[in-house]
Amino acid sequence: MSKKVPRRPSILAVIAIAAVVAIGGVLALRWVEMSADRAGGVSSGRALIGGPFALNDQTGKPVTDQDFRGRLMLVYFGYTFCPDVCPTDLQKISAVMEMLGPDADKVAPVFITVDPERDTTDQMARYLSLFNDHITGLTGTPEAIAAAAKEYRVYYQAVRDDASATDYLVDHSAFIYLMDREGAYLTHFNRGDTPDTIVAAIKQRL
Ligand code: NI
């Protein structure tokens, strides 16, 4: 006779699912790039990543994608409670902005939260004070955040921590997107890309 013990999803299962999702995201991006190449330009791939959003910046001011026209955008989705990837990537973006010197004004780094529940305007302001002051932090309603993430094909999913009733992590894709002056996708960077690589890619487009 066996008594059925309710199974909790193991951390390995969670990691496996996250890995599959991450790989799926990478493959999707590859596909976007390949279809752009095949079309002999970037027009077909461009439309797939990026689009309109309407959120609030870290001062509470309403901001849309239109406010960044005329500048290149570095778009990154993450959250301020992220223990690992986001601080590293925001440091990377900060280094890029410093290395750009006077050209920094031609580039708008945009950090969009995937955790609007905890990332209030004040929280975003506090957190971004630790990084380069060019960075615009955007938050909004869960619906507005979901819409923005969908435009950028960003995956995110809250993962409850069994050890705590209130804490949770948010799995999320962590690409830094480089968008052109009209908000169209140019390329993206991931963990392997250094600030030098990113600066070089930006300078090609200035
Ligand atoms: Ni993160």
Side-chain angles (χ1 to χ4, degrees), residues 21-191:
V21 169
I23 290 164
V26 169
L27 289 177
L29 276 167
R30 287 269 155 75
W31 181 83
V32 165
E33 286 169 351
M34 285 189 320
S35 45
D37 288 346
R38 260 187 256 116
V42 284
S43 52
S44 70
R46 275 183 160 192
L48 296 177
I49 292 177
F53 54 78
L55 300 163
N56 295 300
D57 73 9
Q58 68 267 47
T59 68
K61 194 180 73 155
V63 168
T64 76
D65 55 297
Q66 294 295 325
D67 294 312
F68 302 100
R69 293 297 172 270
R71 285 179 286 169
L72 301 178
M73 279 195 292
L74 280 175
V75 180
Y76 185 77
F77 286 75
Y79 67 113
T80 71
F81 291 86
C82 184
D84 174 17
V85 182
C86 291
T88 306
D89 283 338
L90 286 169
Q91 272 164 17
K92 196 188 281 186
I93 292 169
S94 296
V96 166
M97 296 310 289
E98 275 150 41
M99 288 163 70
L100 282 170
D103 285 334
D105 289 333
K106 300 173 187 166
V107 180
V110 181
F111 174 61
I112 304 178
T113 185
V114 291
D115 185 15
E117 195 182 315
R118 289 181 296 188
D119 284 341
T120 59
T121 301
D122 288 347
Q123 172 62 17
M124 293 290 274
R126 266 195 301 276
Y127 186 67
L128 286 174
S129 71
L130 303 170
F131 300 97
N132 184 277
D133 59 13
H134 283 84
I135 302 173
T136 298
L138 297 179
T139 188
T141 63
E143 293 75 21
I145 291 294
K150 196 174 172 205
E151 294 291 346
Y152 280 84
R153 301 293 188 265
V154 166
Y155 157 83
Y156 64 101
Q157 177 71 56
V159 181
R160 295 286 156 183
D161 181 350
D162 285 344
S164 162
T166 53
D167 283 357
Y168 58 92
L169 297 172
V170 185
D171 279 338
H172 64 97
S173 41
F175 297 108
I176 300 170
Y177 298 104
L178 178 62
M179 314 299 287
D180 75 9
R181 290 175 187 79
E182 282 77 50
Y185 172 84
L186 289 169
T187 188
H188 66 272
F189 311 99
N190 57 37
R191 296 196 83 172

Side-chain angles (χ1 to χ4, degrees), residues 10-24 155 171:
S10 75
I11 188 73
L12 278 176
V14 171
I15 289 168
I17 291 164
V20 166
V21 169
I23 290 164
Y155 157 83
D171 279 338

